[in-house]
Amino acid sequence: MTAPTSSHPSDPDVPLDVWLLDRVAAYLHRPADTIEPDVPLAEYGMDSVMAMSLCGDLEDERGLEVEPTLLWDHPTMDALRSHLVPSAGRSR
């Protein structure tokens, strides 16, 4: 699966929490502002292929080493942000 088009492709100046929401929204083919921070991403249709692709994107584009179980262990946007960007809080 190739990475979907997002509005912040590989721009290192984009904060990680903004990039992350944008990338998840692109994979889910929905506007970022429709993704509730406390709803499991699986309820929006995030599947294992998308989850693994997101892990690859985080490693390739943001230089973060993440476990392949990232979205299993952190299934919501809030959980992902808290894990990857502790200072991001609940901003959307």
Side-chain angles (χ1 to χ4, degrees), residues 14-81:
V14 174
L16 180 58
D17 60 328
V18 173
W19 178 92
L20 183 62
L21 178 59
D22 184 61
R23 185 52 56 99
V24 167
Y27 274 113
L28 296 174
H29 304 288
R30 63 184 309 128
D33 63 357
T34 66
I35 299 173
E36 294 296 324
D38 57 348
V39 173
L41 295 173
E43 289 187 24
Y44 292 115
M46 179 71 74
D47 62 23
S48 60
V49 173
M50 291 177 197
M52 289 297 296
S53 295
L54 180 63
C55 290
D57 293 346
L58 283 162
E59 292 179 358
D60 295 343
E61 296 183 28
R62 301 304 291 218
L64 298 174
E65 288 188 34
V66 296
E67 294 295 321
T69 59
L70 177 68
L71 271 82
W72 175 264
D73 297 333
H74 310 283
T76 67
M77 284 306 303
D78 269 353
L80 278 173
R81 281 191 192 107

